[in-house]
Amino acid sequence: MIIIDRIEGDYAVVEAGEQMLHIAIAELPQEAAEGDILTQTESGWLIDVQATQARREAMAARRARLLEEEA
């Protein structure tokens, strides 16, 4: 799984397993944002919309559980 961790200048820093890689912003879809899950194809990078949404929902649920435990 390749996840955009952050944008730094002209590059996206991505998590690719245990590695952090830099991908030029110009190579990514224009709408790419932090937290998006990417898939590489022969024609370039694509955002995996379903996987990204599922991950965001899981992270939101986890955050909510943590906040409930602190209260």
Side-chain angles (χ1 to χ4, degrees), residues 24-60:
I25 294 292
E27 295 180 27
L28 298 177
Q30 189 173 21
E31 65 276 10
E34 294 176 358
D36 285 346
I37 296 175
L38 302 173
T39 302
Q40 190 172 23
T41 67
E42 289 181 17
S43 59
W45 293 98
L46 299 175
I47 298 170
D48 186 331
V49 177
Q50 289 178 329
T52 297
Q53 184 62 33
R55 182 175 182 272
R56 287 191 173 138
E57 289 172 2
M59 296 297 285

Side-chain angles (χ1 to χ4, degrees), residues 1-43:
M1 184 179 321
I2 299 173
I3 304 167
I4 300 176
D5 181 64
R6 63 188 178 277
I7 306 295
E8 291 184 349
D10 294 333
Y11 292 90
V13 179
V14 300
E15 295 178 32
E18 297 292 320
Q19 296 181 313
M20 299 299 281
L21 307 172
H22 291 82
I23 300 174
I25 294 292
E27 295 180 27
L28 298 177
Q30 189 173 21
E31 65 276 10
E34 294 176 358
D36 285 346
I37 296 175
L38 302 173
T39 302
Q40 190 172 23
T41 67
E42 289 181 17
S43 59

